[in-house]
């Protein structure tokens, strides 16, 4: 049995795309935990009192397809807290 992957995005209550990611089924929940690997997303979560939501936009994918879709979405949506090829810094 192969693992299934999902692609998701975290959004502010106003609909601003904050973060796009992929991972095994259920990975999207880390966005709303306050203990994500992404410091900017965690900071936003706490300073907004959790006023954000996460939407799974693709699921039941192979890892390679999920990674490909994540990259495409990051390029097109330009999420506030995704950092590609650079060290993340405080806003």
């Amino acid at each position: 049995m192969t693992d299934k992957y999902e692609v998701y995005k975290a959004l502010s209550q106003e609909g601003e795309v904050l973060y796009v990611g992929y991972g095994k089924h259920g990975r999207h929940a880390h966005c709303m935990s306050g203990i994500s690997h992404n410091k900017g997303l965690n900071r936003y979560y706490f300073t907004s009192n959790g006023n954000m939501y996460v939407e799974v936009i693709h699921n039941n994918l192979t890892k390679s397809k999920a990674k490909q879709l994540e990259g495409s979405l990051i390029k097109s949506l330009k999420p506030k807290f995704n950092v590609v090829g650079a060290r993340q810094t405080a806003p």
Side-chain angles (χ1 to χ4, degrees):
M1 182 177 163
T2 60
D3 290 322
K4 295 297 180 179
Y5 288 79
E6 62 187 18
V7 178
Y8 54 88
K9 60 183 175 179
L11 301 115
S12 71
Q13 288 296 320
E14 296 77 29
E16 176 185 15
V17 180
L18 303 171
Y19 183 80
V20 172
Y22 84 96
K24 290 181 181 177
H25 177 75
R27 175 69 178 152
H28 67 277
H30 83 92
C31 296
M32 298 295 292
S33 69
I35 56 170
S36 169
H37 69 282
N38 187 292
K39 292 178 176 135
L41 189 60
N42 291 338
R43 193 175 302 110
Y44 184 89
Y45 174 79
F46 287 114
T47 60
S48 73
N49 295 316
N51 285 327
M52 55 186 278
Y53 62 100
V54 181
E55 176 184 343
V56 176
I57 44 183
H58 299 286
N59 55 31
N60 295 321
L61 302 170
T62 63
K63 183 177 183 178
S64 61
K65 184 63 176 176
K67 190 173 183 177
Q68 176 190 18
L69 286 169
E70 178 206 38
S72 295
L73 287 167
I74 289 170
K75 285 179 185 175
S76 66
L77 298 174
K78 298 178 181 22
K80 185 174 187 171
F81 297 122
N82 280 90
V83 178
V84 180
R87 199 171 126 200
Q88 190 170 353
T89 58

